[in-house]
């Protein structure tokens, strides 16, 4: 209960009520004090004046009678005096005593008068009056606490001082009237205070209720509930406050939804970005991280938030700080496969650091962007290797040519036999260089997609037989048997004849180069992949390729046995050119080989219209043995 009271006293409603009541109380008190004192003063004055008038009236009548008392007929005069005094006393309810010059009571209005008559009145006012002083008055308090006004006037007749008139008037009525008025005033004040308290409650309620409503709504808004509005009950200050609050709620909701939208946008951008993004606080601890970043760093996203960035990237604190603050704000970070031996899954990340500056506070965080540059790095690496390979391939024949030219210059020219051999070597090396440069040119055209393709329908049978024809002389020299097998149903295939000729030349020349004497080279063509492709196979029973090299055999300049390939006039580009050309046609190429058993290269070309595979049977085979 006391708690409730102390809480209530602290409310605005209670304060307003208390203020109203106190104001009314103070106002009423002031008015009351002024009013009561003025009224008391006026009533007392009126009472005194009335008493004096009565006294003067009695004095006028008593003077001649008292003069006569001193004379002859004392008893009659006394009775006259008695009659005057009693009639006035009866009329006004006052007590009158007529005293002689010595202060002895001659007559009195009180009944019976035996106690007073003849006795001396020694009161101060009487003494003063007997001395001739006028207007002697005082207030006395009687036996039963009754206030009385006492007045004493000298009785003068002519120039003689005959005695004094002593008048006592009860002030009871006067004070009763004042008390009544006081009571009326107090009850009026109590009613006014009660009414003020009630009005105060109502008035305070009209002020505090909207404030309570606003407080409730503010609590709801703070909890994130923007529904509902504060009622606007008027255009006064509280109404304006309610309107302003509603307006503020609306704007806050708008701002929050914009903020949320921005957050969602940011989250979806972060989620769908192909780059990894991390954000850290001023202490270098991760606060935001997208999924891509965790995939790139190969860690679970939940395990990262709150961790030190330096620990995540495996960098020393000082190095990280240097990167963030320096101009050179990026680095390449190798990330190794989780399991050992999976070197293919190793990746290289380009990590860019962007510090976040806040005015006056310096760096308050860092944004880290991770880009997977593994492919790019591999490409750069292979480009570097390519340039090195080209330089190397060109330097070897050039060095040979140079040394032979020098030898000729040094005198070999004079020996025709030697000179002839030297010129032959120079010629071979030059041929090789021309082949190399031609191959490179081919590759570069294929790479830059500059090579225009002249597509035309070609009979596969004719194509393969022509290849064999081109090599027939070489086959003959090496006693190699060539076989051509073609499925009967193969339609014409749309291709760039020159390019496919080049592919076949490369494959057949390889087969020829790496097949010993008496070997067999088979060229076959069949429908593959549910009639959508034609597969052309070049197979030999030569030396084959070791298993470890098969995988890389299509790489540029890749050779199993460099010296031997070079001796055979190979450039190491034949298979890669073939692959580029087949891919340009929309086909595929693959190699199967077994060391010392033979090699089988298969490439496919798409057919313009799929062929039905209804007649899988035999083929019209053309076997040629040269
Ligand atoms: P090259 O001009 O050296 O022949 P290629 O790209 O055509 O270059 O071939 C790459 C390497 O593949 C060759 O050096 C050779 O070692 C190997 N190779 C290609 N075809 C065959 C084959 N039919 N038999 C054995 N090895 C082959």
């Amino acid at each position: 209960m006391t708690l409730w009271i102390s809480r209530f006293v602290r409310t605005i409603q209670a304060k307003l009520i208390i203020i109203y009541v106190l104001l009314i109380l103070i106002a009423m008190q002031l008015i009351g004090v002024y009013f009561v004192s003025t009224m008391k003063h006026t009533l007392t004055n009126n009472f005194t004046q009335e008493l004096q008038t009565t006294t003067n009236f009695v004095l006028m009548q008593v003077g001649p009678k008292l003069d006569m008392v001193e004379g002859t007929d004392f008893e009659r005069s006394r009775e006259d005096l008695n009659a005057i005094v009693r009639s006035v006393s009866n009329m006004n309810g006052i007590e009158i005593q007529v005293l002689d010059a010595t202060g002895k009571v001659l007559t009195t209005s009180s009944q019976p008068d035996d106690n007073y008559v003849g006795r001396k009145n020694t009161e101060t006012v009487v003494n003063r009056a007997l001395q001739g002083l006028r207007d002697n008055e005082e207030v006395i308090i009687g036996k039963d606490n009754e206030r009385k006004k006492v007045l004493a006037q000298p009785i003068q007749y002519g120039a003689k001082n005959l005695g004094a008139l002593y008048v006592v008037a009860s002030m009871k009525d006067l004070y009763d009237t004042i008390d009544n008025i006081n009571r009326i005033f107090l009850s009026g004040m109590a009613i006014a205070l009660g009414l003020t308290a009630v009005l105060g409650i109502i008035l305070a309620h009209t002020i505090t209720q909207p404030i309570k409503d606003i407080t409730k709504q503010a609590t709801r808004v703070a909890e994130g509930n923007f529904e509902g509005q504060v009622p606007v009950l008027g255009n006064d200050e509280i109404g304006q406050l309610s309107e302003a609050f509603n307006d503020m709620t609306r704007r806050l909701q708008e701002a929050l939804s914009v903020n949320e939208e921005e957050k969602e946008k940011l989250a979806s951008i972060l989620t769908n970005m192909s780059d990894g993004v991390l954000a850290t606080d001023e202490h270098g601890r991760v606060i935001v991280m997208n999924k891509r970043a965790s995939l790139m760093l190969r860690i679970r996203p939940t395990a990262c938030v709150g961790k030190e960035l330096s620990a995540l990237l495996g960098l020393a604190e000082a190095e990280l700080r240097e990167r963030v603050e320096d101009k050179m704000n990026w680095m390449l970070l190798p990330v190794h496969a989780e399991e050992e031996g999976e070197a293919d899954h190793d990746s290289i990340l380009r990590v860019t650091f962007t510090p976040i500056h806040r005015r006056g506070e310096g760096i308050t965080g860092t944004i880290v962007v991770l880009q997977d540059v593994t492919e790019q790095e591999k490409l750069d690496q292979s480009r570097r290797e390519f340039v090195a390979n080209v330089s190397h391939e060109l330097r070897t024949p050039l060095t040979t040519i140079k040394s032979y030219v020098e030898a000729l210059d040094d005198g070999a020219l004079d020996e025709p036999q030697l000179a002839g051999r030297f010129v032959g070597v120079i010629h071979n090396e030059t041929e090789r260089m021309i082949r190399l440069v031609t191959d490179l040119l081919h590759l570069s055209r294929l790479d830059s997609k500059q090579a225009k393709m002249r597509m035309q329908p070609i009979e596969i049978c004719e194509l393969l037989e022509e290849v064999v024809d081109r090599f027939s002389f070489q086959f003959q020299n090496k006693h190699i048997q060539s076989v051509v097998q073609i499925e009967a149903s193969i339609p014409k295939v749309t291709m760039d004849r020159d390019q496919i000729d080049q592919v076949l030349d490369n494959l057949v020349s390889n087969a020829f180069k790496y097949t010993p004497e008496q070997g067999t080279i088979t060229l076959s063509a069949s429908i593959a992949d549910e009639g959508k492709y034609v597969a052309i196979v070049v197979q030999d029973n030569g030396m084959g390729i070791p298993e470890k090299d098969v995988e890389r055999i299509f790489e540029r300049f890749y050779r199993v046995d460099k010296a031997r390939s070079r001796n055979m006039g190979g450039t190491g580009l034949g298979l890669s050119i073939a692959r580029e050309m087949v891919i340009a046609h929309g086909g595929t190429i693959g190699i199967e080989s077994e060391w010392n058993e033979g090699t089988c290269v298969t490439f496919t070309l798409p057919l313009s219209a799929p062929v039905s595979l209804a007649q899988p049977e035999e083929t019209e085979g053309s076997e040629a043995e040269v």
Side-chain angles (χ1 to χ4, degrees):
M1 185 70 182
T2 45
L3 192 75
W4 184 85
I5 291 170
S6 74
R7 211 180 280 167
F8 177 72
V9 168
R10 280 201 294 270
T11 61
I12 290 183
Q13 198 170 9
K15 282 176 191 156
L16 280 175
I17 296 166
I18 292 167
I19 287 169
Y20 280 137
V21 170
L22 282 178
L23 276 176
I24 292 295
L25 198 70
I26 292 166
M28 294 286 269
Q29 281 298 320
L30 284 175
I31 293 168
V33 168
Y34 176 75
F35 173 75
V36 169
S37 65
T38 312
M39 186 193 67
K40 195 175 171 184
H41 182 73
T42 312
L43 285 178
T44 318
N45 270 358
N46 287 349
F47 180 83
T48 313
Q49 257 176 18
E50 211 176 295
L51 198 64
Q52 273 172 353
T53 312
T54 311
T55 312
N56 287 342
F57 172 74
V58 176
L59 273 178
M60 273 166 50
Q61 295 191 36
V62 166
K65 297 285 172 204
L66 200 63
D67 188 40
M68 283 162 57
V69 169
E70 299 223 327
T72 48
D73 201 352
F74 174 76
E75 268 314 310
R76 236 189 102 198
S77 298
R78 234 185 95 171
E79 264 167 38
D80 284 349
L81 276 176
N82 261 343
I84 293 165
V85 165
R86 288 213 176 114
S87 72
V88 173
S89 167
N90 286 343
M91 233 160 55
N92 297 312
I94 52 176
E95 189 193 332
I96 304 169
Q97 286 180 10
V98 180
L99 311 169
D100 64 8
T102 59
K104 257 193 238 161
V105 178
L106 291 176
T107 180
T108 172
S109 62
S110 53
Q111 293 290 339
D113 55 8
D114 314 337
N115 292 342
Y116 291 103
V117 175
R119 289 174 66 175
K120 214 172 180 178
N121 191 332
T122 53
E123 281 181 48
T124 325
V125 281
V126 173
N127 288 338
R128 286 169 59 88
L130 288 177
Q131 283 164 27
L133 295 170
R134 301 187 70 83
D135 297 331
N136 306 300
E137 50 180 84
E138 65 178 359
V139 175
I140 56 164
I141 295 171
K143 283 173 205 157
D144 37 0
N145 268 345
E146 193 186 327
R147 281 165 194 263
K148 288 178 178 171
K149 183 101 184 173
V150 178
L151 197 72
Q153 292 283 37
I155 303 170
Q156 291 171 330
Y157 191 70
K160 282 192 282 178
N161 231 354
L162 300 176
L165 188 67
Y166 175 75
V167 180
V168 180
S170 167
M171 293 178 90
K172 189 173 175 295
D173 288 347
L174 177 80
Y175 278 95
D176 280 352
T177 311
I178 289 171
D179 283 348
N180 265 343
I181 289 169
N182 272 346
R183 259 196 300 279
I184 290 166
F185 186 77
L186 281 175
S187 55
M189 193 166 77
I191 291 166
L193 283 177
L195 279 176
T196 307
V198 172
L199 280 176
I201 289 168
I202 294 166
L203 204 67
H205 183 78
T206 59
I207 294 169
T208 54
Q209 191 53 40
I211 293 175
K212 277 183 192 167
D213 288 346
I214 292 173
T215 312
K216 267 189 212 155
Q217 184 63 11
T219 317
R220 277 201 290 268
V221 168
E223 285 163 359
N225 178 6
F226 291 95
E227 271 161 36
Q229 290 212 323
V230 180
V232 181
L233 301 172
N235 198 24
D236 57 0
E237 288 83 345
I238 289 179
Q240 284 167 11
L241 175 68
S242 305
E243 233 166 56
F245 186 84
N246 287 339
D247 193 35
M248 188 196 74
T249 311
R250 214 166 26 247
R251 287 188 191 195
L252 199 65
Q253 190 178 12
E254 276 168 21
L256 269 183
S257 56
V258 168
N259 199 7
E260 256 164 43
E261 216 173 279
E262 291 296 320
K263 261 191 186 171
E264 269 170 33
K265 266 191 222 163
L266 189 68
S268 80
I269 289 171
L270 282 178
T271 316
N272 296 310
M273 261 176 91
S274 57
D275 291 344
V277 178
L278 288 148
T280 68
D281 60 11
E282 65 267 39
H283 307 296
R285 274 193 289 267
V286 176
I287 46 172
V288 173
M289 179 179 198
N290 70 350
K291 207 174 158 195
R292 184 88 185 105
S294 68
L295 285 176
M296 282 175 162
L297 292 171
R298 292 160 205 214
I299 17 183
R300 272 182 295 123
T302 43
C304 302
V305 175
K307 261 197 170 182
E308 299 279 330
L309 179 66
S310 51
L312 277 187
L313 299 181
L315 298 174
E317 284 268 352
E319 192 186 349
L320 182 71
R321 207 170 313 121
E322 227 169 72
R323 294 276 172 196
V324 174
E325 287 164 13
D326 261 24
K327 277 184 191 147
M328 168 76 174
N329 60 347
W330 66 273
M331 62 178 290
L332 288 177
L333 182 79
V335 179
H336 299 291
E338 274 166 23
E339 281 164 43
E340 263 182 48
E342 287 190 2
D344 279 2
H345 293 100
D346 287 357
S347 55
I348 301 164
L349 303 180
R350 185 192 154 101
V351 188
T352 313
F353 304 90
T354 313
I356 306 167
H357 293 276
R358 194 177 294 163
R359 213 179 292 160
E361 283 181 43
I363 295 175
T364 54
T366 313
I367 300 284
V368 183
V369 179
L370 308 173
Q371 286 165 306
D372 192 339
V373 290
T374 319
E375 287 306 313
Q376 202 180 321
E377 280 297 304
K378 276 187 187 161
L379 211 67
D380 284 351
Q381 178 69 20
S382 68
R383 248 185 231 137
R384 279 194 293 273
E385 275 174 16
F386 182 73
V387 172
N389 281 332
V390 170
S391 330
H392 181 73
E393 292 294 329
L394 285 172
R395 209 183 57 197
T396 320
L398 279 172
T399 319
T400 318
I401 291 169
K402 192 183 168 221
S403 58
Y404 277 84
V405 169
E406 276 170 5
L408 285 172
D409 203 28
D410 286 349
L413 260 179
D414 301 332
E415 294 176 44
Q417 223 184 349
L418 206 61
R421 235 183 64 216
F422 281 11
V423 169
V425 173
I426 292 172
H427 184 258
N428 274 349
E429 290 301 309
T430 316
E431 283 286 317
R432 199 146 73 91
M433 265 173 41
I434 290 170
R435 267 200 313 279
L436 183 71
V437 172
T438 313
D439 280 357
L440 284 172
L441 218 63
H442 266 125
L443 268 179
S444 127
R445 284 214 188 105
L446 288 166
D447 280 350
S448 60
K449 312 259 187 294
Q450 272 178 0
K452 280 212 179 96
M453 294 175 73
R454 282 185 296 275
M455 305 298 273
Q456 49 183 320
I458 301 291
E459 200 74 63
I460 295 291
C461 175
E462 183 201 320
L463 183 81
L464 298 189
E465 274 169 4
E466 271 185 26
V467 180
V468 174
D469 281 351
R470 280 202 292 280
F471 282 87
S472 60
F473 181 67
Q474 286 158 291
F475 286 166
Q476 212 174 9
N477 285 347
K478 223 173 158 186
H479 306 289
I480 283 177
Q481 191 187 11
S482 71
V483 181
V484 178
Q485 290 175 339
I486 298 163
E487 221 173 71
S489 57
I490 299 179
K492 283 189 173 178
V493 180
T494 310
M495 64 175 83
D496 181 321
R497 171 77 191 251
D498 289 348
Q499 284 196 5
I500 299 301
D501 266 343
Q502 166 98 59
V503 172
L504 283 167
D505 280 356
N506 287 358
L507 299 183
V508 175
S509 92
N510 277 351
F512 172 75
K513 277 190 279 185
Y514 304 108
T515 303
E517 288 195 359
Q518 313 291 345
T520 307
I521 295 174
T522 309
L523 275 86
S524 56
S526 58
I527 299 291
D529 206 5
E530 297 174 342
K532 286 185 210 149
Y533 289 88
V534 60
I536 298 170
V537 181
V538 178
Q539 191 170 10
D540 63 65
N541 57 356
M543 59 188 287
I545 304 164
E547 204 187 330
K548 64 174 175 45
D549 298 309
V550 171
E551 222 176 80
R552 301 187 59 195
I553 212 76
F554 286 102
E555 284 178 20
R556 292 171 187 188
F557 296 111
Y558 193 84
R559 283 176 289 205
V560 176
D561 183 343
K562 282 205 167 84
R564 225 174 80 169
S565 158
R566 212 170 275 141
N567 288 342
M568 300 236 185
T571 58
L573 295 171
L575 281 180
S576 33
I577 289 174
R579 189 181 65 165
E580 297 297 335
M581 284 176 169
V582 170
I583 288 172
H585 276 79
T588 56
I589 189 165
I591 194 164
E592 286 170 41
S593 185
E594 221 159 282
W595 185 235
N596 286 333
E597 292 281 320
T599 307
C600 172
V601 184
T602 308
F603 71 92
T604 62
L605 294 172
L607 287 167
S608 39
V611 173
S612 94
L613 301 174
Q615 60 279 54
E617 270 159 50
E618 201 16 47
T619 62
E620 183 212 307
S622 123
E623 287 204 358
E625 190 179 319
V626 186

